[in-house]
Amino acid sequence: MNYVSEGCFELTGYMPENIINNKETSFKDIIAPEYRDSLRKEWERILPHHLLFNYEYEIITAGGVRKWVLEMGQGVYSEEEEVETLEGIILDISDRKEIENMLRYNNEHDSSTGLYNRNYLENLMKRETTAKKAAVGINLTAIQSLTMDYGFHYTQDLIKNIIEALKIHCSAKHQLFNTYENRFVFYLKDYEDKNELVGFCEAVADTLGSLLASERVSGGIGIIEIDPTDGCDTDQIFKNLLIASERAINIDDRDFGICFYDTELEEQIVREQEIIRELAAIASDENDGGLFLQYQPILDLKSDQISGFEALARLKSEKLGLVPPLEFIPIAEKTKLIIPIGKKIIRHAFRFLNKLRKNGHDKISVSINISVMQLLKKDFSDYLFEMIDEMAVSPENIGLELTESVFSSNYEGINRILGELKKAGLKIALDDFGTGYSSLALERELNINCLKIDKAFIDDILATDKERTIAVDIVSMAHKFGHCAIAEGVEYGEQREYLQHCGCDKIQGYLISRPLDEDKALRLIES
């Protein structure tokens, strides 16, 4: 350098005269080593074209401190266009760089965990050109329940411990990101095949399971393989990954299930969305669309006469055909469409009750399945009694069936509501008894009239030694508590004979009849 200004000392810690003509040091030696080649190449690029030089890099001061500088300059040329010298200025931009770096860090990292965030991962996915890449989503949304019990800081500390535990699975090919609250993603590249992905996820599941076993928190792990030929729609990738991880929560016996997002799952999702559309249309329209009821008869074993029917909801979709209740009822409950649809089911059942009465069968009852979501709705009892008055049906001919699982959410509240309904004359039945939540001690306190013995116990009558079946014990217990016993899923005469011998009050199942449309149900009574 032939000229160096007085600002050199403040910027570099070296006096100007020590750098001029490389008296004691060369400015090149002050430049951080990793920038030297790129700086030379940039000067070589701009000089032949008479361009302006503008470049940011780091220097190392006499005290060993790294500083960011901006160098701006240009070449000075002779008449023959030969470069005679370079002139310019070097400015300290360390403060600006610190702010930029802080903003970049905040933009690329999750503030609570310090992990790279979804924004950074999206940009990384778009830049990566590797043929084999996949995303593994870890869904820990269930951990939020701990916040309600132990507080925010407890949960945050637990999340930090989880991250530290997951870091043992990190490598150059396995990077961990925090994409949303309590949801994390491993980005994998250059893996061999699906087996390697499954093995990786099983190792992650084992880590999470051992760490969270004492907390009784479970979760789901979703996997999606990213096809580079399809472009990189990151929004769709994350949506599909969330779907897979949500499905994984419920499809495995392990605390942390594993689910691939693939064609089969995609078809299930499309089907579920179609069912939701159908249910939403039914809920919002005055017409019932594809919703209809069938009725399965209940036989009184003492009189050998049909004493009632269970109303069973059915859905016929224009696109999907008949949709099984075990498929559309959980979807209706998940979307809360069960509330308006449940009202339509009740109205249908009451119409059938009136038809029975007009045909001279005013002693026959109709039972309706009710979900906990309906039961806990504040206006459920009011609506039910209004409907009873409006349609002029007798409360004594109405049955409500609930599964044992409803008592797991709010036992006292639900039992109180059932007490009010029972007092009004409605018959309350506990469905699928023996497979759910309630214990024998709780059963004594329930405001119910009937126990419906689950089909699994009825199947045991033929599958095991009759002396070892417990159907007879359930019948005896029901009677001791003053309840009627109804056996479900009776398919064979031998089962009927055994249940009659045990003193069971009523039975229903294919031995008597499959579920029937209204007209066929009426003809069955008369025959």
Side-chain angles (χ1 to χ4, degrees), residues 287-443:
N287 298 319
D288 295 328
L291 179 71
F292 65 100
L293 298 191
Q294 288 188 318
Y295 300 89
Q296 187 168 38
I298 300 171
L299 184 76
D300 187 301
L301 289 175
K302 290 187 177 72
S303 66
D304 199 30
Q305 298 292 318
I306 291 170
S307 62
F309 289 90
E310 180 180 354
L312 300 167
R314 300 289 186 257
L315 177 64
K316 188 172 184 180
S317 162
E318 290 184 6
K319 290 186 178 180
L320 306 175
L322 281 171
V323 182
L326 288 175
E327 184 177 11
F328 77 82
I329 294 295
I331 293 173
E333 290 178 335
K334 183 173 70 173
T335 57
K336 297 185 179 179
L337 290 168
I338 192 66
I339 294 171
I341 289 173
K343 291 181 178 180
K344 294 198 170 196
I345 290 171
I346 292 170
R347 186 176 287 275
H348 269 285
F350 285 4
R351 284 198 198 111
F352 182 56
L353 262 178
N354 281 331
K355 187 178 285 190
L356 287 168
R357 186 182 62 198
K358 288 176 183 177
N359 283 271
H361 308 298
D362 56 352
K363 300 299 182 185
I364 293 179
S365 63
V366 173
S367 297
I368 308 162
N369 290 281
I370 302 295
S371 77
V372 65
M373 196 172 294
Q374 291 172 272
L375 199 63
L376 289 176
K377 199 82 169 64
K378 288 183 178 179
D379 63 348
F380 174 75
S381 296
D382 294 338
Y383 167 82
L384 191 61
F385 291 133
E386 285 174 12
M387 186 68 64
I388 288 170
D389 292 339
E390 178 190 330
M391 300 189 70
V393 293
S394 172
E396 287 76 15
N397 289 345
I398 301 169
L400 300 181
E401 295 193 10
L402 306 100
T403 60
E404 293 178 289
S405 60
V406 303
F407 295 101
S408 64
S409 56
N410 183 354
Y411 174 83
E412 292 183 1
I414 290 172
N415 205 31
R416 178 182 51 77
I417 295 169
L418 294 182
E420 295 171 1
L421 297 171
K422 184 181 175 185
K423 187 177 180 181
L426 284 79
K427 304 296 187 293
I428 312 297
L430 190 61
D431 200 9
D432 301 330
F433 180 77
T435 62
Y437 167 78
S438 67
S439 66
L440 298 183
L442 287 176
E443 200 277 337

Side-chain angles (χ1 to χ4, degrees), residues 156-168:
Q156 286 302 107
D157 289 341
L158 181 59
I159 288 292
K160 289 175 182 177
N161 292 337
I162 290 169
I163 291 168
E164 288 304 312
L166 290 176
K167 282 181 180 178
I168 66 171

Side-chain angles (χ1 to χ4, degrees), residues 71-124:
E71 182 174 335
M72 297 182 291
Q74 62 186 359
V76 178
Y77 304 87
S78 66
E79 292 181 1
E80 291 78 21
E81 296 298 314
E82 294 288 335
V83 179
E84 292 185 334
T85 189
L86 310 176
E87 63 179 6
I89 187 170
I90 298 172
L91 303 172
D92 186 351
I93 59 169
S94 298
D95 290 344
R96 193 197 82 193
K97 270 293 181 180
E98 185 177 350
I99 294 171
E100 286 179 1
N101 289 339
M102 182 177 65
L103 292 173
R104 184 181 297 110
Y105 182 89
N106 291 337
N107 187 52
E108 295 177 347
H109 291 76
D110 174 69
S111 58
S112 60
T113 64
L115 292 174
Y116 279 114
N117 59 20
R118 172 173 172 161
N119 183 55
Y120 185 88
L121 178 55
E122 285 184 349
N123 292 328
L124 180 62

Side-chain angles (χ1 to χ4, degrees), residues 61 153 216 237 244 422 437 455:
T61 68
H153 293 295
R216 305 183 72 179
I237 289 170
K422 184 181 175 185
Y437 167 78
K455 184 179 184 298

